[in-house]
Amino acid sequence: MPVSERIAPDRIATLTRLIRTTTQESRTTISPLDGEPVAEIPVSSIEDVEAAFDAARVAQASWSQTSLRERRRALLRLHDLVLERREELLDLIQIESGKSRAHAFDEVAHLALTARYYARRLRRQMKPERRNGALPLLTSVKLNHVPKGVVGIISPWNYPLTMAISDGLPAIAAGNVVVHKPDSQSPLIALAGVELLRDAGFPADVWQVVSGAGSVVGTAIIERADYICFTGSTATGTLIAKQAAERLVSTSLELGGKNPMIVLPGADVENSAAGAVNACFSSAGQLCVSIERLYVPEAQYDAFRDAFVRRVQALSLGAGLDWDADMGSLVSQAQVETITKHVEDAVANGATVLTGGKARPDLGPFFYEPTVLEGVTDAAECFAGETFGPLVSLYPYRTVEEAVELANGGEYGLNASIYGPTRLARRIAPTIKAGTVNINEGFAASFGSIDAPMGGMRHSGVGRRQGAEGIHRYTEPQSVAVQRAMPMAGPAFLAPERYAKLLTLGMKILRRTPRA
């Protein structure tokens, strides 16, 4: 039985009605697990995008006036609903993305954590902040966090629930509204998330959904939004940044990565190997922060390689909607072709396949074995280019300084991992050019710590999700200053020269105080 039959036709109809569209056009999605059709997804027109923005701007005027208490309650209800409807969400994530159920659960947990985090901290993060005025006692300043307006979100297929909804939660919590284009491969799970928002009490027009090609619908969003949030490739992110810059609109862009892991001298080999397996092959390596490069001390290289390969070979692959498989499928034939090309190119340039290296059509149309290479040279495409699949390369190093230099190679800087003694790891972490560094963990420690900002350096993007930074990106800082007793230019009865002398004396006195 096709896995897509786990979704009833009337359920699909309920979800697709959430898309704003007036066209008769649709496209068919398929499940990576078995290649069978999942749903006919309506396609929106540019006029539909325009209508979505018109409705969103009306909604934002009233939504921005709702109390923080009301928004907080809706976020907490969302948290509860996500956990209550866990099983359907897991089914939809697996059916549309092909990942294993354990990896699908990461998304459900992350969305619930995000909702709870911003609910608990909304008042603290959004209340006006007191700042120092120019003249003590005479000048007072407060900083307001003013919502930007209508936020455009263009979300990816690889984490189709949490990247669709979690990024937008702080936007609406801050008083904005959202116009959202989920990826064409995985719209149903994003729509299920939008349904949860409405059931939690968020007004319908606060989150508008449109559907279609990025070149058409995505461009229309970029041309109208007051802020753009995008997760995807560096190439596409660069184009979006240029388009947004022409309108002087801000963006947050989480882009590509070629993420390194350093195993430090003295690290526990078995523990490091186990951590590396999770770091490299979660969601079949189709994760922006997953590890693709492993650097191991020469003295421990053979032991680590053997332990790592043994653990990789023990991974089970499967297409069932259950908890049995360790790793699921790639999302498309294009992903299969990319990893196949990278493996063949690396081997042609002298690399050795330690395990894996083959597609597995016997399991499903887009399955590919978790693959480990050694001896990869800089002539290989996968040496510095992002694979975004279950492929990792092993490299020995002689000194920790060399390992850091190798880890900082290339143009990306999204995530890094260090396994070994914590004190040494903490010391070298600031020298690594990455937006997040996980010690004795691959990526989950930073990804799951919602209070910690997350994003990239260099070609891995700009801006941060999560934490206070994740909500303040959707606001404009507005300084409101109140002047008392006399104007900044001085009282009318004092000549300018006399006032300047008094002000100079006052500034010298303030210089000697610890807080001014």
Side-chain angles (χ1 to χ4, degrees):
M1 180 181 74
V3 294
S4 58
E5 291 186 9
R6 287 278 288 266
I7 315 173
D10 60 342
R11 182 66 178 134
I12 293 174
T14 297
L15 292 175
T16 55
R17 278 196 291 270
L18 297 174
I19 298 172
R20 182 179 283 272
T21 179
T22 56
T23 74
Q24 301 303 309
E25 184 181 354
S26 67
R27 63 179 302 277
T28 304
T29 60
I30 65 169
S31 174
L33 294 176
D34 58 11
E36 294 295 321
V38 175
E40 289 293 319
I41 306 299
V43 173
S44 306
S45 66
I46 293 178
E47 289 74 23
D48 294 324
V49 177
E50 182 70 37
F53 272 89
D54 290 342
R57 295 198 185 283
V58 173
Q60 200 270 330
S62 59
W63 175 246
S64 63
Q65 299 303 310
T66 60
S67 67
L68 295 180
R69 178 179 293 182
E70 183 176 342
R71 300 180 210 171
R72 175 181 179 273
R73 288 174 177 168
L75 287 167
L76 289 176
R77 285 194 295 268
L78 176 64
H79 169 276
D80 296 343
L81 287 172
V82 167
L83 298 181
E84 286 173 14
R85 302 181 190 176
R86 184 189 79 166
E87 293 307 311
E88 185 198 28
L89 296 176
L90 292 175
D91 283 351
L92 287 171
I93 293 169
Q94 284 196 273
I95 289 167
E96 290 197 309
S97 73
K99 64 180 65 180
S100 71
R101 204 165 188 84
H103 298 154
F105 179 73
D106 292 345
E107 297 201 49
V108 174
H110 186 263
L111 177 54
L113 287 170
T114 301
R116 189 182 70 195
Y117 170 82
Y118 284 110
R120 298 298 192 203
R121 289 160 179 79
L122 184 58
R123 184 176 297 278
R124 183 191 318 165
Q125 293 172 345
M126 288 298 294
K127 71 178 182 180
E129 302 175 32
R130 181 175 294 178
R131 298 295 178 93
N132 291 333
L135 300 176
L137 303 179
L138 301 180
T139 311
S140 63
V141 179
K142 283 193 175 181
L143 178 68
N144 294 329
H145 299 288
V146 180
K148 286 181 177 288
V150 181
V151 172
I153 294 180
I154 302 173
S155 61
W157 50 260
N158 63 321
Y159 271 64
L161 174 63
T162 192
M163 294 296 100
I165 308 300
S166 292
D167 266 340
L169 286 185
I172 57 177
N176 301 279
V177 298
V178 166
V179 175
H180 173 208
K181 190 197 89 65
D183 190 88
S184 298
Q185 166 65 32
S186 51
L188 292 181
I189 183 58
L191 293 169
V194 174
E195 180 185 64
L196 287 173
L197 290 170
R198 297 185 180 185
D199 291 348
F202 290 98
D205 285 348
V206 163
W207 195 295
Q208 306 270 327
V209 182
V210 290
S211 170
S215 58
V216 178
V217 175
T219 297
I221 290 175
I222 296 165
E223 291 172 347
R224 292 164 174 80
D226 301 313
Y227 186 92
I228 301 294
C229 174
F230 170 79
T231 302
S233 71
T234 297
T236 302
T238 301
L239 293 175
I240 290 173
K242 291 178 180 177
Q243 292 172 313
E246 290 177 355
R247 298 181 52 235
L248 299 180
V249 169
S250 299
T251 61
S252 54
L253 309 168
E254 185 181 291
L255 308 177
K258 189 70 179 177
N259 306 302
M261 174 186 287
I262 298 174
V263 178
L264 293 175
D268 182 276
V269 167
E270 291 294 335
N271 182 55
S272 301
V277 170
N278 292 329
C280 299
F281 302 115
S282 182
S283 293
Q286 298 171 121
L287 171 60
C288 297
V289 292
S290 64
I291 298 299
E292 295 192 12
R293 299 180 285 154
L294 283 169
Y295 298 103
V296 185
E298 285 183 344
Q300 294 174 270
Y301 182 83
D302 289 350
F304 177 89
R305 177 194 59 201
D306 294 346
F308 181 57
V309 169
R310 183 180 71 251
R311 289 177 177 272
V312 173
Q313 290 173 337
L315 290 174
S316 61
L317 279 65
L321 300 185
D322 51 42
W323 296 88
D324 294 342
D326 296 317
M327 195 181 91
S329 172
L330 295 173
V331 77
S332 66
Q333 182 60 32
Q335 295 298 109
V336 175
E337 291 171 358
T338 295
I339 189 171
T340 300
K341 177 184 176 185
H342 278 198
V343 171
E344 291 177 349
D345 173 70
V347 171
N349 283 283
T352 300
V353 177
L354 298 177
T355 188
K358 299 188 296 294
R360 292 293 303 275
D362 55 311
L363 298 174
F366 311 134
F367 276 82
Y368 198 98
E369 294 176 339
T371 302
V372 182
L373 303 179
E374 71 174 355
V376 176
T377 68
D378 58 7
E381 191 171 353
C382 71
F383 180 82
E386 183 181 32
T387 302
F388 213 66
L391 175 64
V392 62
S393 303
L394 292 175
Y395 304 91
Y397 69 83
R398 291 180 295 277
T399 66
V400 172
E401 291 74 21
E402 179 191 13
V404 171
E405 182 179 355
L406 291 169
N408 286 335
E411 60 187 11
Y412 295 112
L414 187 56
N415 178 53
S417 173
I418 307 171
Y419 267 78
T422 302
R423 180 175 295 181
L424 176 58
R426 284 185 179 276
R427 182 170 63 80
I428 69 172
T431 68
I432 296 178
K433 298 175 182 177
T436 53
V437 178
N438 290 265
I439 295 174
N440 294 324
E441 175 57 63
F443 60 80
S446 59
F447 191 58
S449 300
I450 311 298
D451 197 35
M454 182 177 177
M457 298 181 182
R458 301 191 288 178
H459 285 197
S460 288
V462 295
R464 294 293 185 269
R465 64 164 51 97
Q466 304 190 165
E469 294 84 351
I471 193 169
H472 289 159
R473 61 176 164 164
Y474 295 121
T475 66
E476 296 286 2
Q478 179 193 60
S479 298
V480 178
V482 177
Q483 188 64 23
R484 302 182 184 87
M486 71 175 191
M488 286 292 296
F493 60 83
L494 276 182
E497 182 179 5
R498 177 65 175 166
Y499 178 66
K501 288 181 179 179
L502 290 174
L503 195 59
T504 299
L505 176 61
M507 293 170 68
K508 289 180 178 180
I509 294 173
L510 289 173
R511 166 66 176 81
R512 297 178 182 275
T513 64
R515 301 181 109 184

